[in-house]
Amino acid sequence: MTSNGSVSGLSTNRPLEIRLTDQEAGICEVLDAVTKKHEEKEGKKVQLRIAGGWVRDKLLGLSCHDLDIAIDTMMGYDFAVLVNEYMESMGHEKRTIAKIATNPEKSKHLETATMVVLGMPLDFVNLRSEVYDDASRIPSEITFGTPSEDAYRRDTTINALFYNIHTRSVEDFTGRGLEDLKNGLVRTPLEAFETFWQDPLRVMRCIRFAARFHFKIAEDAKQAILDPRIKQALKTKISKERIGAELDKMIDDGAGRSTAIHLLHELDLYDVVFAPPEVDGTAKGTTAIQGEVKDVDDAFRLVWIMEWILRINPAPVEQDELEGKIFQAEVDQGQETLLSHTRGSPFTSHLYPVITTVSSPHIAQIAHKDEPFPEKLGTRNLILSGMLYPYREMTAVVNKKIMPAGSWILRYNLKGKNLDIDIVTKLMESVGAVQNSVNKLAQTPAVVESAIQEERANMGMVIRDIGFLAVVGKKWPCAFLLALGIELIPKFELLRRGVLDDETKAHIAKYNTFLSKAEAYQIEHCFAWKYLVDGKELTQLLNIKPGPKITDYLQQVMYWQLMHGQSSKEECQKWILEHRDLFR
């Protein structure tokens, strides 16, 4: 390694190096100074290294703000105290040090200290060595370790690299991390079966990083994952919360979502991660399962299509930025072709902005001008819906209530958030109504005024049915993107080759027609409209008793409101009195 952090000896056009930002360089100078001051005062040498993901990402040319400082001879909290004292002596404000206790169930095997230095949060933890037994993924013994021991106990070689703060160089103690990074390979530092047997959660991490960077998983690691003993260990030794947390990262941290699904299926782990409902198993009170799992490949196809529709580029960095970097990511040429062909194209001008931007007038109205569309949440739940698509015809009976299998899996197996469960459930159950509405609009467009009024009302009722659920609200267009993606599954092979045929364009165009008309009819926000005549007023006006039927009556009121957009409350009351027969 050269002194500036470059990698020597690799076959590239120019030296590969870690280029520190001014902030990162300042942090390294502070930490180096603290160790020198400590050595001068106590006569004890301390060496610091930035560990893991930051080193990997910087070598890949990616930005990273997650700095883990590995310490060779001190506990993290003790060193953080020294940093605080030094910063105070230099005129900086004393910072709070958060001590994160060991929590093996959350993969926190050692005490960690966290504090902000020069505006960036740093985690301080000592290098460690681990000993496992067969009964648990939690180490039975943890001791101070050497940099080499710490590197070899990590999940993959590309995550086992260090950046020495004092020499400003990259250290590869496994001897394979740099080459694996260069060649796009996910490999375990130790023998693969042993690595996964010690901690089966590493299987999920291998898949996540392979998906995120579009790297290959080493053959010995694949064979170990396919071993039935590893699959069983993942089921029995890892909590559902931890599996769900890794899945969340696959969805949220820039991983290739469709690639992750493909790998889970290829490695026979789809039914482990998305374990189907079972009677009297995980969820007590589950008394019956109905229906069956459909083709799991449809999950991969649908998520791939959603990535395209949502403009999720599968490459971790732009192709013109890859020259001279340490790796060449595998690029999905089908998606690349489609993305290049459809950017700015007329028939995608409404669909794409719904999730990805608020720059166009259309989405500015849907998302409200002062509140951007919740891109991450919308994307997240569309991808989750795609991942669970094979369970669309399966239900479970829980406490005498029928629950979609996808909802059951999110709630009981993945321990998902209620927000995700509610949104995904609503998106999936809305697909049929959305497709019917879109197809009807395309087949019989309204021409005369009365038909236009009915069309507006029918469209509005579909929007309200989706968006009336508070957690969905202005995210109602997500249901249309999901429905479109499902319609395009039969076109997957063509799309994978980058072919956008006339039939596919027609599918997209009819969904754009709905969204365009929703804007023209000014019903984008109708999910939040209040009734001109509410339930209490309705009972008084008609002199009827409150009851369950009032909900149905209010639907009639809203339908009339949608047909007569500019009408007043008085006009609505008059209509109700003139049509009493509708409220019986």
Side-chain angles (χ1 to χ4, degrees):
M1 310 296 297
T2 63
S3 60
N4 65 354
S6 63
V7 183
S8 60
L10 295 180
S11 56
T12 54
N13 295 331
R14 64 174 184 264
L16 301 164
E17 59 187 17
I18 286 182
R19 296 183 181 273
L20 300 178
T21 65
D22 290 343
Q23 184 184 34
E24 290 166 342
I27 289 171
C28 287
E29 290 170 6
V30 166
L31 297 179
D32 186 39
V34 172
T35 62
K36 289 177 179 176
K37 186 173 182 179
H38 178 69
E39 185 176 2
E40 291 172 1
K41 183 178 179 180
E42 302 293 338
K44 297 179 181 178
K45 192 175 183 65
V46 178
Q47 282 215 328
L48 306 178
R49 295 169 172 85
I50 304 177
W54 180 90
V55 186
R56 176 201 65 223
D57 287 355
K58 294 292 282 190
L59 285 171
L60 293 179
L62 306 173
S63 62
C64 182
H65 304 288
D66 183 15
L67 269 69
D68 294 331
I69 311 300
I71 312 165
D72 64 347
T73 57
M74 291 183 71
M75 295 295 288
Y77 183 83
D78 295 336
F79 187 80
V81 170
L82 296 181
V83 174
N84 228 349
E85 291 174 353
Y86 175 81
M87 295 300 287
E88 279 190 281
S89 72
M90 300 299 291
H92 292 272
E93 181 183 349
K94 184 176 182 179
R95 304 305 299 252
T96 300
I97 302 173
K99 183 188 291 188
I100 304 172
T102 57
N103 187 347
E105 289 298 333
K106 299 293 184 181
S107 292
K108 292 291 183 184
H109 301 307
L110 282 181
E111 177 184 287
T112 303
T114 298
M115 68 178 293
V116 175
V117 177
L118 299 182
M120 184 176 291
L122 307 182
D123 286 348
F124 296 94
V125 66
N126 58 281
L127 296 168
R128 68 183 188 262
S129 176
E130 299 172 344
V131 177
Y132 291 83
D133 60 37
D134 287 347
S136 172
R137 61 172 284 267
I138 300 170
S140 57
E141 182 181 350
I142 300 173
T143 61
F144 275 92
T146 66
S148 179
E149 289 172 331
D150 192 277
Y152 274 99
R153 61 95 191 162
R154 291 178 180 265
D155 50 10
T156 65
T157 58
I158 63 173
N159 291 336
L161 298 168
F162 292 101
Y163 181 76
N164 191 304
I165 285 175
H166 314 291
T167 64
R168 302 293 174 92
S169 62
V170 177
E171 298 172 332
D172 183 4
F173 290 99
T174 70
R176 294 180 296 180
L178 290 168
E179 283 293 336
D180 288 344
L181 198 63
K182 176 185 175 184
N183 296 325
L185 192 65
V186 175
R187 186 207 309 268
T188 57
L190 297 172
E191 193 271 329
F193 183 89
E194 177 188 351
T195 298
F196 297 141
W197 184 254
Q198 288 176 349
D199 184 356
L201 190 64
R202 290 169 175 161
V203 169
M204 293 291 291
R205 289 176 58 81
C206 281
I207 292 171
R208 174 158 65 89
F209 289 115
R212 179 180 179 186
F213 299 116
H214 293 265
F215 283 4
K216 293 183 183 298
I217 297 178
E219 190 59 34
D220 67 321
K222 275 191 175 182
Q223 293 307 314
I225 295 171
L226 287 167
D227 190 303
R229 291 172 293 178
I230 296 299
K231 181 175 181 177
Q232 184 62 23
L234 186 59
K235 283 183 177 180
T236 57
K237 293 172 71 173
I238 304 299
S239 70
K240 292 176 172 59
E241 289 88 347
R242 294 300 298 148
I243 291 178
E246 282 299 316
L247 182 67
D248 284 344
K249 292 175 183 177
M250 289 181 189
I251 295 172
D252 293 340
D253 74 353
R257 289 85 165 174
S258 60
T259 304
I261 286 293
H262 177 72
L263 288 171
L264 288 172
H265 187 28
E266 179 185 8
L267 297 170
D268 196 28
L269 294 175
Y270 181 87
D271 64 344
V272 175
V273 176
F274 302 101
E278 52 188 348
V279 174
D280 290 332
T282 305
K284 294 181 179 179
T286 303
T287 56
I289 310 297
Q290 298 171 339
E292 59 184 19
V293 183
K294 298 297 181 181
D295 189 353
V296 173
D297 278 332
D298 277 347
F300 164 62
R301 297 182 185 107
L302 180 54
V303 173
W304 188 96
I305 291 169
M306 295 312 304
E307 286 178 324
W308 163 53
I309 291 176
L310 296 167
R311 282 185 168 177
I312 297 173
N313 196 318
V317 291
E318 293 295 332
Q319 285 300 103
D320 59 3
E321 295 178 359
L322 288 176
E323 183 184 356
K325 293 295 187 293
I326 200 168
F327 79 121
Q328 293 288 323
E330 289 188 352
V331 175
D332 192 321
Q333 294 298 336
Q335 284 194 4
E336 286 292 299
T337 302
L338 290 172
L339 286 168
S340 64
H341 285 175
T342 57
R343 285 190 179 100
S345 192
F347 58 83
T348 58
S349 60
H350 279 78
L351 280 176
Y352 283 155
V354 167
I355 299 297
T356 60
T357 181
V358 295
S359 60
S360 72
H362 175 75
I363 188 56
Q365 291 179 11
I366 288 184
H368 302 298
K369 293 182 180 179
D370 59 345
E371 184 179 355
F373 193 89
E375 176 183 347
K376 183 176 179 180
L377 188 61
T379 298
R380 170 185 175 76
N381 286 289
L382 282 167
I383 297 298
L384 267 175
S385 298
M387 290 178 166
L388 292 164
Y389 184 63
Y391 291 102
R392 62 192 178 277
E393 295 183 12
M394 179 183 283
T395 60
V397 178
V398 183
N399 297 324
K400 299 182 180 180
K401 294 182 179 179
I402 296 177
M403 175 184 290
S407 306
W408 192 99
I409 293 167
L410 281 176
R411 183 175 300 280
Y412 299 113
N413 272 349
L414 294 174
K415 305 296 183 181
K417 299 175 182 176
N418 288 335
L419 186 68
D420 286 334
I421 297 166
D422 292 342
I423 294 174
V424 169
T425 300
K426 191 61 183 178
L427 292 182
M428 290 299 293
E429 73 179 19
S430 300
V431 167
V434 167
Q435 290 178 339
N436 289 338
S437 181
V438 168
N439 289 329
K440 182 178 179 180
L441 191 67
Q443 293 165 6
T444 57
V447 179
V448 300
E449 180 62 28
S450 60
I452 289 173
Q453 286 182 314
E454 288 186 7
E455 182 177 83
R456 182 178 190 269
N458 289 329
M459 290 174 60
M461 294 303 285
V462 172
I463 293 172
R464 278 185 63 82
D465 181 65
I466 301 166
F468 199 69
L469 186 67
V471 294
V472 177
K474 57 181 171 290
K475 294 181 289 294
W476 64 264
C478 290
F480 286 76
L481 297 185
L482 179 62
L484 170 62
I486 291 170
E487 280 201 35
L488 294 181
I489 289 176
K491 293 291 183 179
F492 172 75
E493 294 301 333
L494 279 176
L495 294 172
R496 195 75 192 276
R497 299 201 301 269
V499 177
L500 202 63
D501 66 2
D502 289 341
E503 190 174 357
T504 301
K505 292 179 182 179
H507 280 301
I508 296 172
K510 69 184 182 182
Y511 279 84
N512 269 325
T513 296
F514 187 102
L515 295 176
S516 298
K517 284 198 170 186
E519 178 184 1
Y521 287 151
Q522 298 182 330
I523 55 174
E524 309 102 311
H525 305 145
C526 70
F527 60 85
W529 287 4
K530 295 185 181 299
Y531 299 102
L532 288 176
V533 176
D534 64 24
K536 182 178 180 180
E537 293 169 331
L538 192 61
T539 58
Q540 293 173 347
L541 186 65
L542 295 173
N543 194 25
I544 57 177
K545 293 181 180 180
K549 287 188 175 181
I550 298 299
T551 300
D552 296 332
Y553 295 163
L554 288 174
Q555 292 289 82
Q556 296 279 7
V557 171
M558 182 53 65
Y559 192 87
W560 183 89
Q561 283 182 228
L562 285 161
M563 287 187 68
H564 306 85
Q566 304 301 319
S567 297
S568 66
K569 180 174 183 175
E570 290 72 22
E571 290 173 311
C572 183
Q573 290 174 328
K574 180 181 178 182
W575 171 79
I576 292 170
L577 291 172
E578 290 175 350
H579 295 80
R580 289 176 177 270
D581 55 314
L582 296 175
F583 302 94
R584 292 179 181 174

